[in-house]
Amino acid sequence: MQTEEEILKIKKVKNTAVRTVVLRHLLSQEKAQSLKDIENALAYTDRSSIFRTLKKFEENKVIHSIEDGSGMTKYAVCAKGCNCDPKDLHYHFYCTNCDKTFCLFDVPIPKIQLPENFKLQQANMVVKGLCDNCNK
Amino acid sequence: MQTEEEILKIKKVKNTAVRTVVLRHLLSQEKAQSLKDIENALAYTDRSSIFRTLKKFEENKVIHSIEDGSGMTKYAVCAKGCNCDPKDLHYHFYCTNCDKTFCLFDVPIPKIQLPENFKLQQANMVVKGLCDNCNK
DNA sequence: TAATCTTTGCAATCGAGTTGCAGTAAATCC
DNA sequence: GGATTTACTGCAACTCGATTGCAAAGATTA
Ligand SMILES: [Mn+2]
Ligand SMILES: [Mn+2]
Ligand SMILES: [Zn+2]
Ligand SMILES: [Zn+2]
């Protein structure tokens, strides 16, 4: 596992106190985090600073965002080597019971056969249902 | 093609003036519509009435909603026989150039192999890129 | 008809996201 | 080093899509 400093260096994001703590928090969580989640976890860091940090991170491919339909955008750290290309596409799972959203890095995404002359750039694939913990 | 009245009858939604005109509008558009789109198109119908109509429609599977990442939820009429089950799943395409979102009813969705003991209920699959019109 | 339930329009509110601005810190240039 | 420029941060204010309370209007039922 890389340290926060290493990740930021690779992704060419200048290291600051806020950025380190935000990235550390994201790395420590198994579920994707909303701005509010992060704000709650980092009591002394301002929301707009976190917000701008997330924007910067997303721009530089440190993290990617997920629209899971909960009304709050979620963020998750990109896998090592990820470039947010179509090849890095993966499903996200949203548990309708416990509200947890996370990346399904291990579930392969089949090639999508778009109609004639369409060009794929990115995708937001959210699968919803019950996670193993809630499906009992 | 079924009429608005027929659709509402089948889906057990009582027919009213607002509902008819909202459904008619949705049927007339090839791209999925946001609340604002509908509000703009139906100048004399109140937003909250349209909003509640959409909620009712969604509840009764007249329409389904799409989170395309644009910040506004889009709505599209369900295909005939659709029950919004996993079997009715389909991709949605969002054109990053012209901002159009629509259902890709013809692109098959492969079976998603979820991790052990996960249960699939629904999904929001949005593919983003350039539509044929914009990919030139 | 009278009582009851549903739908509608209007105004107010909510809340996630975003921005302006001034102060602080860091990087760059003499 | 010290001056200048550039980047980051915190606070408050604001935007805007979504949602709700409420009373009037309409439809249904007894
Ligand atoms: Mn992910
Ligand atoms: Mn659709
Ligand atoms: Zn769960
Ligand atoms: Zn287009």
Side-chain angles (χ1 to χ4, degrees), chain A residues 93-100 102 129-135, chain B residues 118:
Chain A
F93 190 87
Y94 174 74
C95 178
T96 54
N97 183 251
C98 70
D99 241 5
K100 232 158 76 170
F102 48 88
L130 298 175
C131 74
D132 52 353
N133 236 304
C134 296
N135 185 25
Chain B
F118 277 56

Side-chain angles (χ1 to χ4, degrees), chain A residues 67 90-92 109-110 112 123-128, chain B residues 65-68 89-94 101-104 109-112 120 122-128:
Chain A
E67 304 273 335
H90 53 270
Y91 291 116
H92 295 101
I109 287 219
I112 303 163
N124 182 57
M125 311 281 236
V126 179
V127 178
K128 307 181 188 191
Chain B
S65 62
I66 308 149
E67 304 274 334
D68 64 9
L89 257 185
H90 54 270
Y91 290 117
H92 294 102
F93 191 86
Y94 174 73
T101 297
F102 47 89
C103 303
L104 294 181
I109 287 221
K111 186 162 166 41
I112 303 163
L120 170 67
Q122 337 152 235
N124 182 55
M125 311 281 236
V126 179
V127 178
K128 306 180 189 193

Side-chain angles (χ1 to χ4, degrees), chain A residues 11-13 55-63:
Chain A
K11 298 297 174 72
K12 301 199 196 324
V13 176
K55 288 292 165 199
K56 184 77 179 168
F57 280 1
E58 195 174 9
E59 213 175 287
N60 288 49
K61 317 283 170 68
V62 175
I63 63 177

Side-chain angles (χ1 to χ4, degrees), chain A:
Chain A
M1 185 48 106
Q2 305 166 88
T3 64
E4 295 90 40
E5 286 75 18
E6 287 166 345
I7 295 175
L8 293 180
K9 188 163 208 177
I10 291 170
K11 298 297 174 72
K12 301 199 196 324
V13 176
K14 204 200 300 177
N15 196 351
T16 70
V18 172
R19 290 174 183 174
T20 301
V21 72
V22 169
L23 180 53
R24 179 172 307 146
H25 174 75
L26 287 172
L27 286 168
S28 76
Q29 301 295 311
E30 66 159 348
K31 71 167 184 171
Q33 300 284 294
S34 67
L35 175 55
K36 172 159 287 221
D37 288 337
I38 303 170
E39 199 186 345
N40 290 341
L42 309 180
Y44 298 107
T45 309
D46 183 71
R47 179 171 10 132
S48 64
S49 300
I50 301 172
F51 172 76
R52 286 188 265 235
T53 294
L54 292 172
K55 288 292 165 199
K56 184 77 179 168
F57 280 1
E58 195 174 9
E59 213 175 287
N60 288 49
K61 317 283 170 68
V62 175
I63 63 177
H64 59 276
S65 61
I66 307 150
E67 304 273 335
D68 63 9
S70 70
M72 289 193 274
T73 304
K74 306 288 174 64
Y75 300 90
V77 180
C78 286
K80 197 172 174 180
C82 167
N83 234 329
C84 295
D85 293 330
K87 76 163 175 47
D88 296 310
L89 255 186
H90 53 270
Y91 291 116
H92 295 101
F93 190 87
Y94 174 74
C95 178
T96 54
N97 183 251
C98 70
D99 241 5
K100 232 158 76 170
T101 297
F102 48 88
C103 303
L104 295 181
F105 286 119
D106 292 337
V107 180
I109 287 219
K111 187 162 166 38
I112 303 163
Q113 190 58 57
L114 290 180
E116 184 77 29
N117 207 36
F118 278 56
K119 186 181 175 197
L120 170 68
Q121 288 171 339
Q122 337 151 235
N124 182 57
M125 311 281 236
V126 179
V127 178
K128 307 181 188 191
L130 298 175
C131 74
D132 52 353
N133 236 304
C134 296
N135 185 25
K136 280 175 175 161

Side-chain angles (χ1 to χ4, degrees), chain B residues 61-94:
Chain B
K61 317 282 171 64
V62 176
I63 62 177
H64 58 277
S65 62
I66 308 149
E67 304 274 334
D68 64 9
S70 70
M72 290 192 273
T73 303
K74 305 288 175 65
Y75 300 90
V77 180
C78 287
K80 195 173 174 180
C82 168
N83 232 330
C84 294
D85 295 329
K87 76 163 173 49
D88 295 310
L89 257 185
H90 54 270
Y91 290 117
H92 294 102
F93 191 86
Y94 174 73

Side-chain angles (χ1 to χ4, degrees), chain B residues 14 16 18-19 46 48-49 52:
Chain B
K14 204 199 299 176
T16 70
V18 172
R19 289 174 184 174
D46 184 71
S48 65
S49 300
R52 285 187 266 234

